Amino acid sequence: MPELPEVETTRRGVAPHVVGRRVARLAVYDSRLRWPVPSDLGRRLVGRTVAAVDRRSKYLLFRFGSDTLLVHLGMTGSLRVFRHAPARRPHDHVDIVLDDGSVLRYNDPRRFGAMLWVPAPADAHPLLAILGPEPFDAGFDAGYLWRATRTRSAAIKLALMDNRLVVGVGNIYANESLFRAGIRPTLSAHRVSRARLAGLVDAVRTVLTEAIAKGGSTLRDYVDASGEPGYFQLEYFVYGRDGEPCRVCGAPIRMRRLGARASFYCPRCQR
DNA sequence: CTTTGCACCTGTTGGC
DNA sequence: TGCCAACAGGTGCAAA
């Protein structure tokens, strides 16, 4: 999926076109997402006005008064705004038609995404209630990460990708953050020193910030609200670079699997 | 509680 | 060229 930078780029692209607009019509062409799109979603949405578009973790939260439309892009989802919607393409599953005739269109080849209606208080919804801090929250600091990893023997990369610890960091950005922090992905979380965890906090924020500035990463499916790809994949230090020379020291980048996810690291820069 | 592996689904790629 | 297994940005869930 889209990780945090792609979701945030989508949010920033979508929000100006939808905030203040009223929903005129909902068209669900295929309700078979990760969970079925609720059959009464149209009845709930039509006539309501979008007050704001927020993001929590990798969820987009369209606020309608105290109620929320929750959208997740899964692995291959994208959300685009069309002034005038073109003919549907494959995997276009949902259209939200606004009162000015523009259309918010959800496309998702693998259908791992979600579109759910969440009555207030949204934070209490099970999907949101379990989430840890945002990477840019003040609460996500070295002390927090230190305490949170004391009882974790699993690899630091797996801990970093655990949404209860911190949200928004998926496979690409976990790999890139650990490279920048000089930490080997396989190292047990509780064996990483507090000083190095402080470096990891900084690295996560730096990588995510730079990725957002480049419009996120596009490996295949991701496009932003305007249909534009991201460009951060051109700046990867390790992700997808198995066997290629490290951009810092020249040693060949290595790949191994952690929890079924490909993990890339420089054997010389990361210890 | 943590950890592990599977499941969901479609499309692309690489090896034979 | 054709076929098929492996793999892909996420994450809830069951089981150990």
Side-chain angles (χ1 to χ4, degrees):
Chain A
M1 138 187 182
E3 301 184 34
L4 185 149
E6 293 75 32
V7 177
E8 179 60 21
T9 301
T10 297
R11 189 193 69 78
R12 293 179 186 184
V14 162
H17 298 282
V18 305
V19 171
R21 299 250 75 100
R22 197 167 43 81
V23 175
R25 191 165 63 84
L26 178 77
V28 178
Y29 307 111
D30 193 338
S31 63
R32 299 172 303 163
L33 301 187
R34 173 153 201 185
W35 298 283
V37 177
S39 55
D40 62 352
L41 188 59
R43 187 168 61 71
R44 301 203 183 268
L45 277 179
V46 171
R48 309 278 305 263
T49 298
V50 182
V53 185
D54 297 327
R55 178 189 59 73
R56 174 75 172 105
S57 184
K58 299 169 189 171
Y59 296 98
L60 287 168
L61 305 172
F62 293 80
R63 308 293 191 182
F64 293 86
S66 62
D67 300 322
T68 300
L69 173 69
L70 176 152
V71 177
H72 196 288
L73 302 178
M75 290 272 267
T76 54
S78 59
L79 203 52
R80 293 183 61 177
V81 175
F82 293 100
R83 186 67 189 80
H84 300 287
R88 279 171 51 215
R89 306 269 302 272
H91 313 300
D92 285 339
H93 302 314
V94 179
D95 277 348
I96 299 175
V97 183
L98 302 171
D99 56 358
D100 64 348
S102 61
V103 174
L104 192 58
R105 177 167 285 178
Y106 179 83
N107 177 287
D108 186 0
R110 290 175 74 178
R111 289 188 278 111
F112 283 176
M115 196 171 290
L116 297 172
W117 184 251
V118 179
D123 289 349
H125 190 280
L127 291 174
L128 303 179
I130 60 158
L131 297 174
E134 293 283 328
F136 296 107
D137 278 356
F140 178 63
D141 61 11
Y144 165 80
L145 203 47
W146 169 260
R147 288 188 300 278
T149 51
R150 286 318 84 193
T151 58
R152 308 197 59 141
S153 58
I156 184 66
K157 176 165 177 274
L158 296 175
L160 195 55
M161 293 177 67
D162 184 339
N163 281 337
R164 294 167 305 173
L165 249 167
V166 62
V167 301
V169 185
N171 198 34
I172 291 175
Y173 300 112
N175 279 298
E176 292 297 312
S177 298
L178 287 163
F179 173 82
R180 300 212 194 186
I183 301 170
R184 201 169 284 219
T186 50
L187 193 56
S188 285
H190 69 273
R191 297 188 53 208
V192 183
S193 73
R194 186 170 175 136
R196 302 182 80 208
L197 290 174
L200 183 56
V201 168
D202 290 344
V204 165
R205 289 178 173 158
T206 302
V207 167
L208 295 178
T209 300
E210 291 181 12
I212 291 169
K214 296 284 178 182
S217 301
T218 296
L219 300 184
R220 173 167 295 120
D221 301 287
Y222 173 73
V223 290
D224 71 10
S226 307
E228 295 295 318
Y231 293 96
F232 188 71
Q233 70 279 6
L234 302 174
E235 326 238 331
Y236 291 165
F237 280 91
V238 289
Y239 184 82
R241 301 191 64 241
D242 186 26
E244 295 176 37
C246 173
R247 289 171 54 183
V248 171
C249 78
I253 299 299
R254 288 188 190 160
M255 192 275 273
R256 49 176 301 186
R257 299 211 161 262
L258 281 177
R261 311 309 293 271
S263 304
F264 303 89
Y265 66 97
C266 171
R268 193 180 299 168
C269 296
Q270 294 171 264
R271 301 288 177 175

